[in-house]
Amino acid sequence: MSKRDYYEVLGLDKDASVDDIKKAYRKLARKYHPDVNSEEGAEEKFKEVKEAYDTLSDPQKKSNYDRFGHADPNQGFGGAGGGAGDFGGFGDIFDMFFGGGRRDPNAPRQGADLQYTMTLTFKEAAFGKETEIEIPREEECQTCDGSGAKPGTNPETCTKCGGTGQLNIEQNTPFGRVVNRRACDRCQGSGQMIKEKCTTCGGRGTIKRNKKINITVPAGVDYGQQVRVAGEGEAGVNGGPPGDLFVVFNVQSHEFFERDGDDVYCEMPLTFAQAALGDEIEVPTLRGKVKLKIPAGTQTGTNFRLRGKGIANVHGRGQGDQHVKVQVITPKKLDERQKELIREFSELSGDDQVEEQHQNFFEKVKRAFKGD
């Protein structure tokens, strides 16, 4: 099945900005993340969204994708991020057909990286925290020191491949006789044979253990961001270094605050009297309540900014703001005395102010249609 266009996956045009890509990813990742969406197919959609974001958020990968699409020539032939199972480039292709240089199957290799998804509350993401997680991972067997052989014995060189881990198969082609190199079927490409296997690990050289790891969540992390914990991945092979652990953050929504970057948004109700006469109200922030002065005549939908009351930038570049949008609440239940006072107010104020506001509004609409 052919892959969908990455821009289509994120619902974006090809001229989308970095911020557009980030916002689209954050919206879709929240929708399809397995921790919040148990519908069939949600996990696959989440993986598709993450793959698209990983490519389009990286300038080099995005440039290659914009030029070549999914047929990027760097993918699978020594491009960035190639794994141990990828072809390494034209040297390996030449080696595969013509029997060039050999790789030592017993050379040290780095272990695989691990990924852990950590769910944070809104405030935990804003302020950071110290926590401990427990992850299952492959660790070097202490009984055999990772050799896979029973203590007191050693792995022996495979007699079929001579320790190379590969077999050369000669073939006649239109271009002449060539050599095709394949993994040895006797030692499965390891170059070694274990006659007496370690009883602890069964000859694998590693065992599965749960490891407790202390994690520092930096203040200001956002949904989908991650931290790298060096050396806490899977055990290395043949004495190689371990892989790394990547902790990816899933941030829960808040019942009052919303976040956009480092800024925080909220709405506050006002009574008609507060909006008309002005008042000083208390507004909740992430760090406690603050006073906000409401000028007389404030209209519903007016926005106020509380500077420095947002979220600390995760990279240490300042502090966001809090934006407060006020909504004037119209009372639904009035007694006769209240109704009488409102009628009296309406008669005293007249219709001049309302008519002037209507005229100003409709003039703006006319100018919009005329393109002014």
Side-chain angles (χ1 to χ4, degrees), residues 335-347:
D335 59 28
E336 287 302 319
R337 175 58 178 160
Q338 290 170 324
K339 293 178 181 179
E340 181 182 343
L341 289 173
I342 291 178
R343 293 190 192 101
E344 183 179 348
F345 169 77
S346 178
E347 292 174 359

Side-chain angles (χ1 to χ4, degrees), residues 301-343:
T302 301
N303 287 288
F304 296 90
R305 174 180 291 188
L306 301 176
R307 296 191 179 277
K309 296 300 182 180
I311 296 174
N313 183 271
V314 70
H315 302 295
R317 294 193 287 266
Q319 188 96 8
D321 302 325
Q322 180 167 326
H323 303 265
V324 182
K325 183 178 181 180
V326 296
Q327 299 286 357
V328 179
I329 305 301
T330 303
K332 294 182 178 180
K333 295 182 180 180
L334 298 173
D335 59 28
E336 287 302 319
R337 175 58 178 160
Q338 290 170 324
K339 293 178 181 179
E340 181 182 343
L341 289 173
I342 291 178
R343 293 190 192 101

Side-chain angles (χ1 to χ4, degrees), residues 5-6 13 46 53 60 95 97 112 150 154 158 171 175 180 218 224 284 300 321 327 336 354 359:
D5 178 80
Y6 286 151
D13 296 326
F46 174 77
Y53 175 73
Q60 183 61 48
D95 177 36
F97 284 102
K150 180 180 178 180
N154 293 301
C158 176
Q171 292 178 321
F175 304 101
N180 186 13
T300 190
D321 302 325
Q327 299 286 357
E336 287 302 319
V354 176
Q359 289 178 355

Side-chain angles (χ1 to χ4, degrees), residues 21 36 56 61 74 221 235 317 335:
I21 293 170
V36 297
L56 298 183
K61 292 181 181 178
N74 288 326
V221 295
R317 294 193 287 266
D335 59 28

Side-chain angles (χ1 to χ4, degrees), residues 363-372:
E363 283 298 323
K364 291 180 181 178
V365 173
K366 289 179 182 178
R367 288 198 297 271
F369 278 111
K370 291 179 181 179
D372 294 342

Side-chain angles (χ1 to χ4, degrees), residues 10-30:
L10 297 180
L12 298 171
D13 296 326
K14 290 195 174 182
D15 58 354
S17 66
V18 175
D19 286 339
D20 291 336
I21 293 170
K22 180 179 179 182
K23 288 179 181 178
Y25 168 70
R26 191 162 54 217
K27 178 181 177 181
L28 292 171
R30 283 196 182 106

Side-chain angles (χ1 to χ4, degrees), residues 44-318:
E44 292 304 316
K45 289 182 179 178
F46 174 77
K47 291 178 180 177
E48 184 182 42
V49 167
K50 189 174 188 307
E51 179 181 328
Y53 175 73
D54 287 343
T55 296
L56 298 183
S57 62
D58 184 291
Q60 183 61 48
K61 292 181 181 178
K62 182 178 183 297
S63 176
N64 290 339
Y65 181 75
D66 289 343
R67 293 176 61 193
F68 305 107
H70 292 298
D72 180 0
N74 288 326
Q75 295 298 322
F77 290 94
D86 297 335
F87 290 114
F90 290 106
D92 283 340
I93 297 174
F94 184 89
D95 177 36
M96 181 174 65
F97 284 102
F98 299 101
R102 298 175 177 177
R103 290 184 178 180
D104 182 1
N106 299 309
R109 298 195 304 275
Q110 185 173 14
D113 293 335
L114 294 176
Q115 179 175 299
Y116 178 91
T117 299
M118 180 185 294
T119 298
L120 303 172
T121 66
F122 191 91
K123 287 192 174 183
E124 286 174 337
F127 296 111
K129 69 172 187 176
E130 299 283 338
T131 188
E132 183 181 74
I133 64 174
E134 186 171 355
I135 59 169
R137 68 177 188 180
E138 291 288 338
E139 295 186 354
E140 184 179 272
C141 176
Q142 300 300 308
T143 302
C144 64
D145 295 326
S147 71
K150 180 180 178 180
T153 68
N154 293 301
E156 298 179 2
T157 301
C158 176
T159 56
K160 187 170 183 177
C161 65
T164 65
Q166 296 175 329
L167 299 175
N168 295 331
I169 309 298
E170 293 187 358
Q171 292 178 321
N172 292 320
T173 73
F175 304 101
R177 183 177 293 274
V178 297
V179 177
N180 186 13
R181 181 166 294 172
R182 298 177 182 174
C184 176
D185 57 351
R186 179 174 294 176
C187 64
Q188 284 72 52
S190 68
Q192 294 182 331
M193 298 291 295
I194 301 176
K195 289 188 175 182
E196 296 186 71
K197 295 181 179 179
C198 171
T199 56
T200 301
C201 66
R204 293 187 301 116
T206 60
I207 59 173
K208 183 76 74 174
R209 281 200 182 99
N210 288 335
K211 173 69 182 295
K212 292 183 178 180
I213 302 172
N214 293 321
I215 301 295
T216 299
V217 179
V221 295
D222 204 351
Y223 190 97
Q225 292 182 333
Q226 62 184 21
V227 295
R228 170 177 167 267
V229 187
E232 294 294 353
E234 302 277 23
V237 180
N238 298 326
D244 299 327
L245 170 67
F246 290 87
V247 181
V248 182
F249 299 111
N250 172 34
V251 182
Q252 296 174 333
S253 59
H254 194 277
E255 61 180 359
F256 182 73
F257 299 113
E258 289 188 4
R259 177 177 181 175
D260 186 3
D262 299 331
D263 289 346
V264 171
Y265 293 79
C266 68
E267 291 187 357
M268 287 294 295
L270 291 181
T271 66
F272 172 76
Q274 287 176 312
L277 304 177
D279 198 1
E280 188 175 70
I281 64 173
E282 282 190 335
V283 178
T285 73
L286 293 173
R287 297 165 183 80
K289 295 180 179 179
V290 298
K291 299 285 187 180
L292 175 62
K293 188 174 182 180
I294 304 297
T298 294
Q299 302 297 307
T300 190
T302 301
N303 287 288
F304 296 90
R305 174 180 291 188
L306 301 176
R307 296 191 179 277
K309 296 300 182 180
I311 296 174
N313 183 271
V314 70
H315 302 295
R317 294 193 287 266

